[in-house]
Amino acid sequence: MGVILATSRSFSDGDLDLVGRARAAGHEIIRGPAHHGLTELAPLLAAAEGWIAGTGPVTDAHLAAAPNLRIVARYGVGTEAVDLPAAERRGIPVTNTPGANADAVADHTVGLMLAALRSISDGDRRVRAGDWAVRRGRELGAATVGIVGFGRIGQGVARRLSGFGSRILATDPYLPRGVIAERGAEPVALDALFHAADVITLHAPGGQTLVDAARLDGIRPGTILVNTARPDLVDEAALATALREGRLGAYAADTLDGDTAGSASALLAPDLSPRVTVTPHLGAQTTQAVDNMGSMSLDDVLAVLDGHAPAHPVFSSPDSSRIAGPSDSSRIAGPSVARSAGPSVARS
């Protein structure tokens, strides 16, 4: 019986019994810590032939501790925490689950837009404190929405916004303007989007800063910014300043710098609470997305253990002979960070 290590907390936690499915295929699922601490993980890696990896780091040291490992299946889309060159040198394929949680994140993005435009979180807090004063909001259908990164999630947001009647702008350096137009948005340059949009939503991969003090100087007063992608896309201190000065109307995000250690973020200051809404990295956490990510990652592990090629490989370089297909988001060149050599893979 082969051993498959699963370090994602939610693997097989949806409606599908993926542990039972692995067992029926002749393999045992063992669980490991989601933080991927090597001290705890090393004994488990020593026995593993497949690894369904969560968001923790997958380093060369992890791979060295797994002499029998034949595949790392990233449970989700982002692979920035995986040492892809090290895996490639060791002949270990790495996969991810593109599109598995796109609908879940797109839903959550629109929910955060509405929460920010209508002060929903702040209204709830005030009512519980006995304050029923009405604060006027804005309608999503009357807004120009700019989508930064027009991959699967960005396009899903555009489809949802079409029902509201919003004007939709989008920027993506890896999609031709004609394709963006065909998929429901007006193609624009990044700076033009920041100048024109009432609501801006980020769907680019991490490793770049797209929203800093300089870019915030060019936004329309009262702009709403939504981030369901990565915390390093924004300069949180600059956002806090822009919120206090009234240039930024509200910020709604599914993550902060440091994630669960983000309690020190400048954006959580008490005076900003009426205009800042943060959820605990739950955009991808729906039963359907959990089942999709689990099924896709297990499919790839079982394929490799059975001697077949995985369906969703990720490579360390954009070699044209090995590109698996488009990622969920494209890298957008930020104001301070140079564009990478090839497309990156976005967060799930």
Side-chain angles (χ1 to χ4, degrees):
M1 176 177 283
V3 173
I4 300 171
L5 171 63
T7 55
S8 168
R9 294 186 186 92
S10 61
F11 176 75
S12 197
D13 194 32
D15 287 338
L16 301 180
D17 179 11
L18 299 178
V19 172
R21 186 171 148 218
R23 188 179 301 115
H27 303 284
E28 176 190 5
I29 298 285
I30 61 173
R31 301 282 186 168
H35 57 71
H36 292 186
L38 190 53
T39 300
E40 297 175 55
L41 213 52
L44 305 176
L45 284 169
E49 294 182 44
W51 183 5
I52 297 174
T55 56
V58 179
T59 68
D60 189 49
H62 287 84
L63 301 177
N68 302 310
L69 192 64
R70 296 169 60 188
I71 177 174
V72 175
R74 167 72 178 89
Y75 181 91
V77 181
T79 56
E80 57 264 45
V82 181
D83 189 337
L84 296 176
E88 194 168 312
R89 286 194 303 271
R90 294 176 179 276
I92 300 172
V94 176
T95 65
N96 66 351
T97 60
N101 56 25
D103 283 338
V105 177
D107 281 355
H108 194 62
T109 298
V110 175
L112 288 176
M113 289 180 187
L114 292 167
L117 286 165
R118 302 304 300 272
S119 301
I120 290 174
S121 298
D122 179 56
D124 176 77
R125 285 191 294 266
R126 288 189 295 105
V127 165
R128 294 174 188 277
D131 179 3
W132 285 78
V134 173
R135 294 184 180 174
R136 185 173 298 169
R138 291 183 284 167
E139 295 178 16
L140 187 51
T144 295
V145 180
I147 302 174
V148 180
F150 206 55
R152 292 178 178 90
I153 296 170
Q155 291 173 34
V157 172
R159 288 193 300 273
R160 286 155 176 79
L161 292 176
S162 67
F164 286 88
S166 308
R167 180 190 176 200
I168 306 168
L169 312 177
T171 186
D172 192 310
Y174 290 95
L175 281 182
R177 293 174 62 88
V179 173
I180 292 176
E182 288 171 3
R183 298 180 184 178
E186 300 174 38
V188 295
L190 182 63
D191 284 330
L193 182 149
F194 271 81
H195 293 157
D198 303 302
V199 178
I200 299 169
T201 178
L202 305 178
H203 301 287
Q208 54 189 328
T209 303
L210 295 181
V211 186
D212 62 3
R215 187 149 275 150
L216 288 166
D217 282 341
I219 64 173
R220 302 176 68 172
T223 295
I224 305 295
L225 182 63
V226 177
N227 182 8
T228 55
R230 288 287 190 264
D232 59 356
L233 293 175
V234 304
D235 179 334
E236 293 185 355
L239 291 186
T241 298
L243 285 162
R244 290 190 175 99
E245 293 176 351
R247 289 179 289 126
L248 187 64
Y251 182 63
D254 192 36
T255 183
L256 289 175
D257 186 23
D259 277 342
T260 55
S263 57
S265 171
L267 293 168
L268 294 181
D271 66 305
L272 295 180
S273 63
R275 287 177 291 156
V276 173
T277 300
V278 182
T279 53
H281 211 156
L282 53 75
Q285 292 299 317
T286 65
T287 299
Q288 292 74 26
V290 164
D291 282 342
N292 289 342
M293 289 186 290
S295 294
M296 292 171 71
S297 57
L298 182 60
D299 283 347
D300 280 336
V301 169
L302 294 179
V304 169
L305 297 187
D306 201 31
H308 303 295
H312 310 100
V314 177
F315 301 106
S316 63
S317 63
D319 183 327
S320 60
S321 67
R322 299 180 305 171
I323 289 179
S327 62
D328 268 6
S329 299
S330 301
R331 176 171 287 276
I332 311 291
S336 324
V337 179
R339 187 175 302 175
S340 70
S344 297
V345 180
R347 162 197 171 172
S348 59

